[in-house]
Amino acid sequence: MEASAKYTAAENMLVKKLFRKPDYEGAADAFVKAGNLFKICQNYQRAGESFGRAFQLYQREKSMGQAQQALNNAINCYNIVDPTKSAELLEELIKEYASTGKFLQAGKACIQQAERLEENQQWVDARKCYDRAIELLKAETNADSDMRNA
């Protein structure tokens, strides 16, 4: 299977050898490719794992945009096979967006989380997520007006 080979190749890039350091960025890219191949094969569990590994490596290398995209891909894969894991990762994505000042994306992710909670009839938790989304979206508005006033 090509996806498994790509995943193994990515892991091999992380092994320190005699005259070579681990290639974290290259391994992250290879994990993304493996994740996409697993997704094509509809092996969403392995795809989620691959994107999750890519997220960790991109985060390690301070490539926050790529890290957030990899995490979003993992969430979408886990949403199909493991909704609980998907919810945990979505919470992590919200924190990532907020910590990098992307309040609009964080707010949208909160709304997505609230909608999932509503589907599971967890009304109180859904309300908390909607309230959190409102606060994040207000923060985005404040950031925009601060930029205009500068």
Side-chain angles (χ1 to χ4, degrees), residues 55 59 64-76 86-100 102 105-110 112-113 116 132 136:
F55 164 71
Q59 195 175 38
M64 298 317 289
Q66 290 173 304
Q68 291 164 351
Q69 181 61 43
L71 186 56
N72 202 24
N73 286 334
I75 289 166
N76 291 334
S86 176
E88 291 169 9
L89 293 177
L90 187 56
E91 183 62 34
E92 191 168 343
L93 182 64
I94 292 166
K95 290 176 185 173
E96 284 293 318
Y97 280 145
S99 71
T100 57
K102 295 181 179 179
Q105 290 91 335
K108 287 179 181 179
C110 272
Q112 184 181 356
Q113 179 81 309
R116 288 183 183 169
R132 186 174 174 199
L136 288 165

PDB file of all heavy atoms in Angstrom, residues 55 59 64-76 86-100 102 105-110 112-113 116 132 136:
ATOM      1  N   PHE A  55       0.774  17.674  12.266  1.00  0.00           N
ATOM      2  CA  PHE A  55       0.483  18.814  13.137  1.00  0.00           C
ATOM      3  C   PHE A  55       1.580  18.980  14.183  1.00  0.00           C
ATOM      4  O   PHE A  55       2.104  20.080  14.384  1.00  0.00           O
ATOM      5  CB  PHE A  55      -0.880  18.635  13.809  1.00  0.00           C
ATOM      6  CG  PHE A  55      -1.087  19.540  14.983  1.00  0.00           C
ATOM      7  CD1 PHE A  55      -1.263  20.898  14.809  1.00  0.00           C
ATOM      8  CD2 PHE A  55      -1.097  19.027  16.276  1.00  0.00           C
ATOM      9  CE1 PHE A  55      -1.440  21.745  15.900  1.00  0.00           C
ATOM     10  CE2 PHE A  55      -1.277  19.865  17.363  1.00  0.00           C
ATOM     11  CZ  PHE A  55      -1.444  21.225  17.182  1.00  0.00           C
ATOM     12  N   GLN A  59       4.102  22.149  14.295  1.00  0.00           N
ATOM     13  CA  GLN A  59       4.072  22.962  15.497  1.00  0.00           C
ATOM     14  C   GLN A  59       5.481  23.067  16.089  1.00  0.00           C
ATOM     15  O   GLN A  59       5.898  24.133  16.522  1.00  0.00           O
ATOM     16  CB  GLN A  59       3.101  22.342  16.501  1.00  0.00           C
ATOM     17  CG  GLN A  59       2.719  23.250  17.624  1.00  0.00           C
ATOM     18  CD  GLN A  59       1.670  22.618  18.522  1.00  0.00           C
ATOM     19  OE1 GLN A  59       1.711  21.423  18.782  1.00  0.00           O
ATOM     20  NE2 GLN A  59       0.750  23.421  18.996  1.00  0.00           N
ATOM     21  N   MET A  64       2.976  27.564  11.979  1.00  0.00           N
ATOM     22  CA  MET A  64       1.643  27.527  12.585  1.00  0.00           C
ATOM     23  C   MET A  64       0.523  27.391  11.555  1.00  0.00           C
ATOM     24  O   MET A  64      -0.450  26.693  11.803  1.00  0.00           O
ATOM     25  CB  MET A  64       1.431  28.759  13.461  1.00  0.00           C
ATOM     26  CG  MET A  64       2.421  28.839  14.631  1.00  0.00           C
ATOM     27  SD  MET A  64       2.708  27.285  15.501  1.00  0.00           S
ATOM     28  CE  MET A  64       1.179  27.080  16.347  1.00  0.00           C
ATOM     29  N   GLY A  65       0.638  28.037  10.416  1.00  0.00           N
ATOM     30  CA  GLY A  65      -0.404  27.906   9.397  1.00  0.00           C
ATOM     31  C   GLY A  65      -0.548  26.475   8.920  1.00  0.00           C
ATOM     32  O   GLY A  65      -1.659  25.941   8.810  1.00  0.00           O
ATOM     33  N   GLN A  66       0.588  25.836   8.637  1.00  0.00           N
ATOM     34  CA  GLN A  66       0.566  24.438   8.198  1.00  0.00           C
ATOM     35  C   GLN A  66       0.107  23.523   9.324  1.00  0.00           C
ATOM     36  O   GLN A  66      -0.598  22.538   9.090  1.00  0.00           O
ATOM     37  CB  GLN A  66       1.941  24.028   7.690  1.00  0.00           C
ATOM     38  CG  GLN A  66       2.310  24.699   6.377  1.00  0.00           C
ATOM     39  CD  GLN A  66       3.745  24.394   5.981  1.00  0.00           C
ATOM     40  OE1 GLN A  66       4.676  24.655   6.745  1.00  0.00           O
ATOM     41  NE2 GLN A  66       3.907  23.831   4.794  1.00  0.00           N
ATOM     42  N   ALA A  67       0.503  23.852  10.553  1.00  0.00           N
ATOM     43  CA  ALA A  67       0.091  23.043  11.705  1.00  0.00           C
ATOM     44  C   ALA A  67      -1.423  23.088  11.863  1.00  0.00           C
ATOM     45  O   ALA A  67      -2.069  22.048  12.058  1.00  0.00           O
ATOM     46  CB  ALA A  67       0.780  23.549  12.974  1.00  0.00           C
ATOM     47  N   GLN A  68      -1.999  24.274  11.747  1.00  0.00           N
ATOM     48  CA  GLN A  68      -3.443  24.409  11.893  1.00  0.00           C
ATOM     49  C   GLN A  68      -4.183  23.687  10.780  1.00  0.00           C
ATOM     50  O   GLN A  68      -5.215  23.061  11.014  1.00  0.00           O
ATOM     51  CB  GLN A  68      -3.816  25.894  11.951  1.00  0.00           C
ATOM     52  CG  GLN A  68      -3.333  26.552  13.224  1.00  0.00           C
ATOM     53  CD  GLN A  68      -3.320  28.065  13.170  1.00  0.00           C
ATOM     54  OE1 GLN A  68      -3.523  28.675  12.122  1.00  0.00           O
ATOM     55  NE2 GLN A  68      -3.075  28.693  14.309  1.00  0.00           N
ATOM     56  N   GLN A  69      -3.639  23.738   9.561  1.00  0.00           N
ATOM     57  CA  GLN A  69      -4.276  23.035   8.439  1.00  0.00           C
ATOM     58  C   GLN A  69      -4.225  21.517   8.657  1.00  0.00           C
ATOM     59  O   GLN A  69      -5.203  20.812   8.412  1.00  0.00           O
ATOM     60  CB  GLN A  69      -3.599  23.408   7.118  1.00  0.00           C
ATOM     61  CG  GLN A  69      -4.212  22.755   5.905  1.00  0.00           C
ATOM     62  CD  GLN A  69      -5.671  23.138   5.719  1.00  0.00           C
ATOM     63  OE1 GLN A  69      -6.047  24.289   5.867  1.00  0.00           O
ATOM     64  NE2 GLN A  69      -6.498  22.167   5.388  1.00  0.00           N
ATOM     65  N   ALA A  70      -3.084  21.017   9.121  1.00  0.00           N
ATOM     66  CA  ALA A  70      -2.955  19.577   9.383  1.00  0.00           C
ATOM     67  C   ALA A  70      -3.923  19.150  10.484  1.00  0.00           C
ATOM     68  O   ALA A  70      -4.566  18.094  10.387  1.00  0.00           O
ATOM     69  CB  ALA A  70      -1.516  19.233   9.773  1.00  0.00           C
ATOM     70  N   LEU A  71      -4.049  19.972  11.519  1.00  0.00           N
ATOM     71  CA  LEU A  71      -4.971  19.649  12.609  1.00  0.00           C
ATOM     72  C   LEU A  71      -6.417  19.656  12.112  1.00  0.00           C
ATOM     73  O   LEU A  71      -7.206  18.784  12.468  1.00  0.00           O
ATOM     74  CB  LEU A  71      -4.790  20.639  13.760  1.00  0.00           C
ATOM     75  CG  LEU A  71      -5.572  20.356  15.035  1.00  0.00           C
ATOM     76  CD1 LEU A  71      -5.270  18.964  15.584  1.00  0.00           C
ATOM     77  CD2 LEU A  71      -5.257  21.409  16.087  1.00  0.00           C
ATOM     78  N   ASN A  72      -6.744  20.601  11.259  1.00  0.00           N
ATOM     79  CA  ASN A  72      -8.091  20.658  10.689  1.00  0.00           C
ATOM     80  C   ASN A  72      -8.376  19.415   9.849  1.00  0.00           C
ATOM     81  O   ASN A  72      -9.470  18.849   9.908  1.00  0.00           O
ATOM     82  CB  ASN A  72      -8.243  21.931   9.849  1.00  0.00           C
ATOM     83  CG  ASN A  72      -9.675  22.336   9.661  1.00  0.00           C
ATOM     84  OD1 ASN A  72     -10.533  21.980  10.461  1.00  0.00           O
ATOM     85  ND2 ASN A  72      -9.945  23.068   8.612  1.00  0.00           N
ATOM     86  N   ASN A  73      -7.388  18.948   9.095  1.00  0.00           N
ATOM     87  CA  ASN A  73      -7.549  17.713   8.313  1.00  0.00           C
ATOM     88  C   ASN A  73      -7.756  16.510   9.228  1.00  0.00           C
ATOM     89  O   ASN A  73      -8.578  15.637   8.938  1.00  0.00           O
ATOM     90  CB  ASN A  73      -6.333  17.480   7.412  1.00  0.00           C
ATOM     91  CG  ASN A  73      -6.304  18.409   6.224  1.00  0.00           C
ATOM     92  OD1 ASN A  73      -7.334  18.896   5.762  1.00  0.00           O
ATOM     93  ND2 ASN A  73      -5.113  18.670   5.712  1.00  0.00           N
ATOM     94  N   ALA A  74      -7.006  16.456  10.328  1.00  0.00           N
ATOM     95  CA  ALA A  74      -7.169  15.355  11.291  1.00  0.00           C
ATOM     96  C   ALA A  74      -8.573  15.373  11.881  1.00  0.00           C
ATOM     97  O   ALA A  74      -9.209  14.316  12.015  1.00  0.00           O
ATOM     98  CB  ALA A  74      -6.110  15.458  12.395  1.00  0.00           C
ATOM     99  N   ILE A  75      -9.070  16.553  12.210  1.00  0.00           N
ATOM    100  CA  ILE A  75     -10.421  16.682  12.772  1.00  0.00           C
ATOM    101  C   ILE A  75     -11.449  16.130  11.794  1.00  0.00           C
ATOM    102  O   ILE A  75     -12.339  15.371  12.177  1.00  0.00           O
ATOM    103  CB  ILE A  75     -10.724  18.156  13.106  1.00  0.00           C
ATOM    104  CG1 ILE A  75      -9.891  18.595  14.303  1.00  0.00           C
ATOM    105  CG2 ILE A  75     -12.209  18.367  13.373  1.00  0.00           C
ATOM    106  CD1 ILE A  75      -9.853  20.095  14.509  1.00  0.00           C
ATOM    107  N   ASN A  76     -11.324  16.500  10.528  1.00  0.00           N
ATOM    108  CA  ASN A  76     -12.279  16.040   9.517  1.00  0.00           C
ATOM    109  C   ASN A  76     -12.249  14.517   9.366  1.00  0.00           C
ATOM    110  O   ASN A  76     -13.294  13.893   9.183  1.00  0.00           O
ATOM    111  CB  ASN A  76     -12.019  16.720   8.185  1.00  0.00           C
ATOM    112  CG  ASN A  76     -12.350  18.198   8.232  1.00  0.00           C
ATOM    113  OD1 ASN A  76     -13.174  18.643   9.017  1.00  0.00           O
ATOM    114  ND2 ASN A  76     -11.677  18.974   7.398  1.00  0.00           N
ATOM    115  N   SER A  86     -12.290  13.693  17.520  1.00  0.00           N
ATOM    116  CA  SER A  86     -12.504  14.876  16.694  1.00  0.00           C
ATOM    117  C   SER A  86     -12.824  16.085  17.563  1.00  0.00           C
ATOM    118  O   SER A  86     -12.287  17.183  17.345  1.00  0.00           O
ATOM    119  CB  SER A  86     -13.633  14.616  15.697  1.00  0.00           C
ATOM    120  OG  SER A  86     -13.919  15.763  14.951  1.00  0.00           O
ATOM    121  N   ALA A  87     -13.675  15.914  18.565  1.00  0.00           N
ATOM    122  CA  ALA A  87     -14.041  17.016  19.461  1.00  0.00           C
ATOM    123  C   ALA A  87     -12.837  17.503  20.267  1.00  0.00           C
ATOM    124  O   ALA A  87     -12.654  18.717  20.452  1.00  0.00           O
ATOM    125  CB  ALA A  87     -15.163  16.582  20.401  1.00  0.00           C
ATOM    126  N   GLU A  88     -12.000  16.570  20.717  1.00  0.00           N
ATOM    127  CA  GLU A  88     -10.797  16.947  21.464  1.00  0.00           C
ATOM    128  C   GLU A  88      -9.854  17.776  20.596  1.00  0.00           C
ATOM    129  O   GLU A  88      -9.308  18.792  21.033  1.00  0.00           O
ATOM    130  CB  GLU A  88     -10.060  15.699  21.955  1.00  0.00           C
ATOM    131  CG  GLU A  88     -10.784  14.924  23.020  1.00  0.00           C
ATOM    132  CD  GLU A  88     -10.148  13.565  23.295  1.00  0.00           C
ATOM    133  OE1 GLU A  88      -9.042  13.282  22.776  1.00  0.00           O
ATOM    134  OE2 GLU A  88     -10.768  12.774  24.025  1.00  0.00           O
ATOM    135  N   LEU A  89      -9.673  17.332  19.355  1.00  0.00           N
ATOM    136  CA  LEU A  89      -8.781  18.047  18.448  1.00  0.00           C
ATOM    137  C   LEU A  89      -9.362  19.397  18.046  1.00  0.00           C
ATOM    138  O   LEU A  89      -8.616  20.368  17.860  1.00  0.00           O
ATOM    139  CB  LEU A  89      -8.490  17.198  17.206  1.00  0.00           C
ATOM    140  CG  LEU A  89      -7.675  15.929  17.449  1.00  0.00           C
ATOM    141  CD1 LEU A  89      -7.510  15.145  16.161  1.00  0.00           C
ATOM    142  CD2 LEU A  89      -6.314  16.260  18.046  1.00  0.00           C
ATOM    143  N   LEU A  90     -10.677  19.468  17.921  1.00  0.00           N
ATOM    144  CA  LEU A  90     -11.319  20.735  17.590  1.00  0.00           C
ATOM    145  C   LEU A  90     -11.081  21.753  18.699  1.00  0.00           C
ATOM    146  O   LEU A  90     -10.808  22.925  18.433  1.00  0.00           O
ATOM    147  CB  LEU A  90     -12.811  20.536  17.331  1.00  0.00           C
ATOM    148  CG  LEU A  90     -13.583  21.747  16.815  1.00  0.00           C
ATOM    149  CD1 LEU A  90     -12.961  22.284  15.528  1.00  0.00           C
ATOM    150  CD2 LEU A  90     -15.030  21.374  16.568  1.00  0.00           C
ATOM    151  N   GLU A  91     -11.143  21.300  19.935  1.00  0.00           N
ATOM    152  CA  GLU A  91     -10.852  22.179  21.064  1.00  0.00           C
ATOM    153  C   GLU A  91      -9.409  22.682  20.984  1.00  0.00           C
ATOM    154  O   GLU A  91      -9.132  23.860  21.227  1.00  0.00           O
ATOM    155  CB  GLU A  91     -11.103  21.450  22.385  1.00  0.00           C
ATOM    156  CG  GLU A  91     -10.897  22.291  23.605  1.00  0.00           C
ATOM    157  CD  GLU A  91     -11.829  23.489  23.689  1.00  0.00           C
ATOM    158  OE1 GLU A  91     -12.986  23.391  23.246  1.00  0.00           O
ATOM    159  OE2 GLU A  91     -11.369  24.541  24.193  1.00  0.00           O
ATOM    160  N   GLU A  92      -8.498  21.803  20.614  1.00  0.00           N
ATOM    161  CA  GLU A  92      -7.093  22.195  20.463  1.00  0.00           C
ATOM    162  C   GLU A  92      -6.934  23.206  19.327  1.00  0.00           C
ATOM    163  O   GLU A  92      -6.166  24.164  19.438  1.00  0.00           O
ATOM    164  CB  GLU A  92      -6.230  20.956  20.213  1.00  0.00           C
ATOM    165  CG  GLU A  92      -4.757  21.222  20.311  1.00  0.00           C
ATOM    166  CD  GLU A  92      -3.917  19.959  20.343  1.00  0.00           C
ATOM    167  OE1 GLU A  92      -4.452  18.871  20.612  1.00  0.00           O
ATOM    168  OE2 GLU A  92      -2.711  20.081  20.088  1.00  0.00           O
ATOM    169  N   LEU A  93      -7.677  23.004  18.237  1.00  0.00           N
ATOM    170  CA  LEU A  93      -7.617  23.929  17.104  1.00  0.00           C
ATOM    171  C   LEU A  93      -8.121  25.319  17.513  1.00  0.00           C
ATOM    172  O   LEU A  93      -7.534  26.330  17.131  1.00  0.00           O
ATOM    173  CB  LEU A  93      -8.430  23.393  15.931  1.00  0.00           C
ATOM    174  CG  LEU A  93      -8.413  24.243  14.658  1.00  0.00           C
ATOM    175  CD1 LEU A  93      -7.005  24.321  14.074  1.00  0.00           C
ATOM    176  CD2 LEU A  93      -9.382  23.681  13.630  1.00  0.00           C
ATOM    177  N   ILE A  94      -9.189  25.358  18.308  1.00  0.00           N
ATOM    178  CA  ILE A  94      -9.714  26.636  18.786  1.00  0.00           C
ATOM    179  C   ILE A  94      -8.633  27.379  19.570  1.00  0.00           C
ATOM    180  O   ILE A  94      -8.408  28.578  19.370  1.00  0.00           O
ATOM    181  CB  ILE A  94     -10.981  26.411  19.641  1.00  0.00           C
ATOM    182  CG1 ILE A  94     -12.125  25.894  18.767  1.00  0.00           C
ATOM    183  CG2 ILE A  94     -11.380  27.694  20.364  1.00  0.00           C
ATOM    184  CD1 ILE A  94     -13.296  25.320  19.546  1.00  0.00           C
ATOM    185  N   LYS A  95      -7.941  26.668  20.442  1.00  0.00           N
ATOM    186  CA  LYS A  95      -6.873  27.283  21.232  1.00  0.00           C
ATOM    187  C   LYS A  95      -5.730  27.762  20.341  1.00  0.00           C
ATOM    188  O   LYS A  95      -5.162  28.831  20.566  1.00  0.00           O
ATOM    189  CB  LYS A  95      -6.355  26.293  22.272  1.00  0.00           C
ATOM    190  CG  LYS A  95      -7.343  26.022  23.385  1.00  0.00           C
ATOM    191  CD  LYS A  95      -6.834  24.960  24.331  1.00  0.00           C
ATOM    192  CE  LYS A  95      -7.885  24.621  25.373  1.00  0.00           C
ATOM    193  NZ  LYS A  95      -7.485  23.483  26.206  1.00  0.00           N
ATOM    194  N   GLU A  96      -5.391  26.959  19.323  1.00  0.00           N
ATOM    195  CA  GLU A  96      -4.328  27.345  18.388  1.00  0.00           C
ATOM    196  C   GLU A  96      -4.686  28.635  17.653  1.00  0.00           C
ATOM    197  O   GLU A  96      -3.871  29.544  17.550  1.00  0.00           O
ATOM    198  CB  GLU A  96      -4.067  26.234  17.361  1.00  0.00           C
ATOM    199  CG  GLU A  96      -3.294  25.060  17.883  1.00  0.00           C
ATOM    200  CD  GLU A  96      -1.864  25.422  18.228  1.00  0.00           C
ATOM    201  OE1 GLU A  96      -1.215  26.162  17.452  1.00  0.00           O
ATOM    202  OE2 GLU A  96      -1.393  24.969  19.274  1.00  0.00           O
ATOM    203  N   TYR A  97      -5.900  28.683  17.133  1.00  0.00           N
ATOM    204  CA  TYR A  97      -6.338  29.879  16.417  1.00  0.00           C
ATOM    205  C   TYR A  97      -6.318  31.098  17.335  1.00  0.00           C
ATOM    206  O   TYR A  97      -5.830  32.165  16.964  1.00  0.00           O
ATOM    207  CB  TYR A  97      -7.748  29.696  15.846  1.00  0.00           C
ATOM    208  CG  TYR A  97      -7.826  28.909  14.559  1.00  0.00           C
ATOM    209  CD1 TYR A  97      -8.904  28.066  14.314  1.00  0.00           C
ATOM    210  CD2 TYR A  97      -6.854  29.019  13.569  1.00  0.00           C
ATOM    211  CE1 TYR A  97      -9.005  27.354  13.124  1.00  0.00           C
ATOM    212  CE2 TYR A  97      -6.945  28.312  12.387  1.00  0.00           C
ATOM    213  CZ  TYR A  97      -8.021  27.483  12.164  1.00  0.00           C
ATOM    214  OH  TYR A  97      -8.117  26.787  10.993  1.00  0.00           O
ATOM    215  N   ALA A  98      -6.855  30.956  18.531  1.00  0.00           N
ATOM    216  CA  ALA A  98      -6.923  32.085  19.460  1.00  0.00           C
ATOM    217  C   ALA A  98      -5.526  32.553  19.863  1.00  0.00           C
ATOM    218  O   ALA A  98      -5.272  33.758  19.946  1.00  0.00           O
ATOM    219  CB  ALA A  98      -7.740  31.710  20.692  1.00  0.00           C
ATOM    220  N   SER A  99      -4.609  31.610  20.067  1.00  0.00           N
ATOM    221  CA  SER A  99      -3.262  31.987  20.503  1.00  0.00           C
ATOM    222  C   SER A  99      -2.484  32.703  19.405  1.00  0.00           C
ATOM    223  O   SER A  99      -1.544  33.441  19.692  1.00  0.00           O
ATOM    224  CB  SER A  99      -2.484  30.755  20.976  1.00  0.00           C
ATOM    225  OG  SER A  99      -2.145  29.926  19.891  1.00  0.00           O
ATOM    226  N   THR A 100      -2.871  32.503  18.150  1.00  0.00           N
ATOM    227  CA  THR A 100      -2.183  33.184  17.048  1.00  0.00           C
ATOM    228  C   THR A 100      -2.972  34.400  16.557  1.00  0.00           C
ATOM    229  O   THR A 100      -2.653  34.960  15.515  1.00  0.00           O
ATOM    230  CB  THR A 100      -1.918  32.217  15.874  1.00  0.00           C
ATOM    231  OG1 THR A 100      -3.153  31.648  15.434  1.00  0.00           O
ATOM    232  CG2 THR A 100      -0.955  31.115  16.276  1.00  0.00           C
ATOM    233  N   LYS A 102      -6.054  34.545  15.473  1.00  0.00           N
ATOM    234  CA  LYS A 102      -7.037  34.265  14.429  1.00  0.00           C
ATOM    235  C   LYS A 102      -8.391  34.014  15.090  1.00  0.00           C
ATOM    236  O   LYS A 102      -8.911  32.913  15.112  1.00  0.00           O
ATOM    237  CB  LYS A 102      -6.593  33.057  13.595  1.00  0.00           C
ATOM    238  CG  LYS A 102      -5.321  33.308  12.820  1.00  0.00           C
ATOM    239  CD  LYS A 102      -4.927  32.100  11.999  1.00  0.00           C
ATOM    240  CE  LYS A 102      -3.664  32.376  11.208  1.00  0.00           C
ATOM    241  NZ  LYS A 102      -3.250  31.216  10.426  1.00  0.00           N
ATOM    242  N   GLN A 105     -11.431  32.593  12.883  1.00  0.00           N
ATOM    243  CA  GLN A 105     -11.371  31.144  12.686  1.00  0.00           C
ATOM    244  C   GLN A 105     -11.682  30.399  13.978  1.00  0.00           C
ATOM    245  O   GLN A 105     -12.348  29.363  13.957  1.00  0.00           O
ATOM    246  CB  GLN A 105      -9.986  30.718  12.151  1.00  0.00           C
ATOM    247  CG  GLN A 105      -9.716  31.152  10.739  1.00  0.00           C
ATOM    248  CD  GLN A 105      -9.039  32.515  10.653  1.00  0.00           C
ATOM    249  OE1 GLN A 105      -9.149  33.348  11.550  1.00  0.00           O
ATOM    250  NE2 GLN A 105      -8.335  32.756   9.567  1.00  0.00           N
ATOM    251  N   ALA A 106     -11.188  30.918  15.105  1.00  0.00           N
ATOM    252  CA  ALA A 106     -11.475  30.289  16.400  1.00  0.00           C
ATOM    253  C   ALA A 106     -12.974  30.330  16.688  1.00  0.00           C
ATOM    254  O   ALA A 106     -13.561  29.349  17.153  1.00  0.00           O
ATOM    255  CB  ALA A 106     -10.694  30.984  17.511  1.00  0.00           C
ATOM    256  N   GLY A 107     -13.602  31.463  16.371  1.00  0.00           N
ATOM    257  CA  GLY A 107     -15.042  31.593  16.575  1.00  0.00           C
ATOM    258  C   GLY A 107     -15.826  30.625  15.704  1.00  0.00           C
ATOM    259  O   GLY A 107     -16.784  29.988  16.158  1.00  0.00           O
ATOM    260  N   LYS A 108     -15.408  30.493  14.450  1.00  0.00           N
ATOM    261  CA  LYS A 108     -16.073  29.548  13.540  1.00  0.00           C
ATOM    262  C   LYS A 108     -15.918  28.118  14.041  1.00  0.00           C
ATOM    263  O   LYS A 108     -16.853  27.315  13.971  1.00  0.00           O
ATOM    264  CB  LYS A 108     -15.505  29.673  12.126  1.00  0.00           C
ATOM    265  CG  LYS A 108     -15.936  30.924  11.411  1.00  0.00           C
ATOM    266  CD  LYS A 108     -15.310  30.988  10.028  1.00  0.00           C
ATOM    267  CE  LYS A 108     -15.702  32.243   9.287  1.00  0.00           C
ATOM    268  NZ  LYS A 108     -15.071  32.307   7.949  1.00  0.00           N
ATOM    269  N   ALA A 109     -14.731  27.789  14.560  1.00  0.00           N
ATOM    270  CA  ALA A 109     -14.503  26.446  15.098  1.00  0.00           C
ATOM    271  C   ALA A 109     -15.370  26.208  16.337  1.00  0.00           C
ATOM    272  O   ALA A 109     -15.877  25.099  16.539  1.00  0.00           O
ATOM    273  CB  ALA A 109     -13.019  26.246  15.417  1.00  0.00           C
ATOM    274  N   CYS A 110     -15.563  27.250  17.146  1.00  0.00           N
ATOM    275  CA  CYS A 110     -16.450  27.134  18.317  1.00  0.00           C
ATOM    276  C   CYS A 110     -17.882  26.861  17.874  1.00  0.00           C
ATOM    277  O   CYS A 110     -18.581  26.052  18.488  1.00  0.00           O
ATOM    278  CB  CYS A 110     -16.419  28.412  19.147  1.00  0.00           C
ATOM    279  SG  CYS A 110     -15.140  28.432  20.385  1.00  0.00           S
ATOM    280  N   GLN A 112     -18.767  25.411  15.132  1.00  0.00           N
ATOM    281  CA  GLN A 112     -18.764  24.025  14.645  1.00  0.00           C
ATOM    282  C   GLN A 112     -18.872  23.061  15.824  1.00  0.00           C
ATOM    283  O   GLN A 112     -19.645  22.094  15.778  1.00  0.00           O
ATOM    284  CB  GLN A 112     -17.476  23.781  13.859  1.00  0.00           C
ATOM    285  CG  GLN A 112     -17.363  22.431  13.218  1.00  0.00           C
ATOM    286  CD  GLN A 112     -16.035  22.265  12.464  1.00  0.00           C
ATOM    287  OE1 GLN A 112     -15.236  23.184  12.367  1.00  0.00           O
ATOM    288  NE2 GLN A 112     -15.813  21.078  11.960  1.00  0.00           N
ATOM    289  N   GLN A 113     -18.128  23.322  16.892  1.00  0.00           N
ATOM    290  CA  GLN A 113     -18.173  22.482  18.089  1.00  0.00           C
ATOM    291  C   GLN A 113     -19.574  22.518  18.710  1.00  0.00           C
ATOM    292  O   GLN A 113     -20.123  21.487  19.102  1.00  0.00           O
ATOM    293  CB  GLN A 113     -17.123  22.966  19.098  1.00  0.00           C
ATOM    294  CG  GLN A 113     -17.083  22.189  20.377  1.00  0.00           C
ATOM    295  CD  GLN A 113     -16.318  20.904  20.249  1.00  0.00           C
ATOM    296  OE1 GLN A 113     -16.561  20.118  19.346  1.00  0.00           O
ATOM    297  NE2 GLN A 113     -15.379  20.694  21.136  1.00  0.00           N
ATOM    298  N   ARG A 116     -22.035  20.397  16.802  1.00  0.00           N
ATOM    299  CA  ARG A 116     -21.864  18.968  17.096  1.00  0.00           C
ATOM    300  C   ARG A 116     -22.491  18.604  18.438  1.00  0.00           C
ATOM    301  O   ARG A 116     -23.092  17.544  18.581  1.00  0.00           O
ATOM    302  CB  ARG A 116     -20.379  18.597  17.090  1.00  0.00           C
ATOM    303  CG  ARG A 116     -19.779  18.587  15.719  1.00  0.00           C
ATOM    304  CD  ARG A 116     -18.342  18.156  15.757  1.00  0.00           C
ATOM    305  NE  ARG A 116     -17.779  18.238  14.420  1.00  0.00           N
ATOM    306  CZ  ARG A 116     -16.501  18.133  14.152  1.00  0.00           C
ATOM    307  NH1 ARG A 116     -15.643  17.930  15.129  1.00  0.00           N
ATOM    308  NH2 ARG A 116     -16.065  18.218  12.922  1.00  0.00           N
ATOM    309  N   ARG A 132     -18.833  31.322  23.914  1.00  0.00           N
ATOM    310  CA  ARG A 132     -17.392  31.447  23.669  1.00  0.00           C
ATOM    311  C   ARG A 132     -17.135  31.972  22.257  1.00  0.00           C
ATOM    312  O   ARG A 132     -16.256  32.809  22.057  1.00  0.00           O
ATOM    313  CB  ARG A 132     -16.745  30.077  23.856  1.00  0.00           C
ATOM    314  CG  ARG A 132     -15.260  30.074  23.781  1.00  0.00           C
ATOM    315  CD  ARG A 132     -14.749  28.698  24.122  1.00  0.00           C
ATOM    316  NE  ARG A 132     -13.326  28.579  23.932  1.00  0.00           N
ATOM    317  CZ  ARG A 132     -12.695  27.434  23.808  1.00  0.00           C
ATOM    318  NH1 ARG A 132     -13.371  26.301  23.878  1.00  0.00           N
ATOM    319  NH2 ARG A 132     -11.398  27.391  23.632  1.00  0.00           N
ATOM    320  N   LEU A 136     -15.051  35.330  21.125  1.00  0.00           N
ATOM    321  CA  LEU A 136     -13.945  35.290  20.164  1.00  0.00           C
ATOM    322  C   LEU A 136     -14.218  36.215  18.975  1.00  0.00           C
ATOM    323  O   LEU A 136     -13.312  36.912  18.502  1.00  0.00           O
ATOM    324  CB  LEU A 136     -13.702  33.855  19.686  1.00  0.00           C
ATOM    325  CG  LEU A 136     -13.071  32.937  20.724  1.00  0.00           C
ATOM    326  CD1 LEU A 136     -13.208  31.481  20.313  1.00  0.00           C
ATOM    327  CD2 LEU A 136     -11.604  33.303  20.925  1.00  0.00           C
TER     328      LEU A 136
END
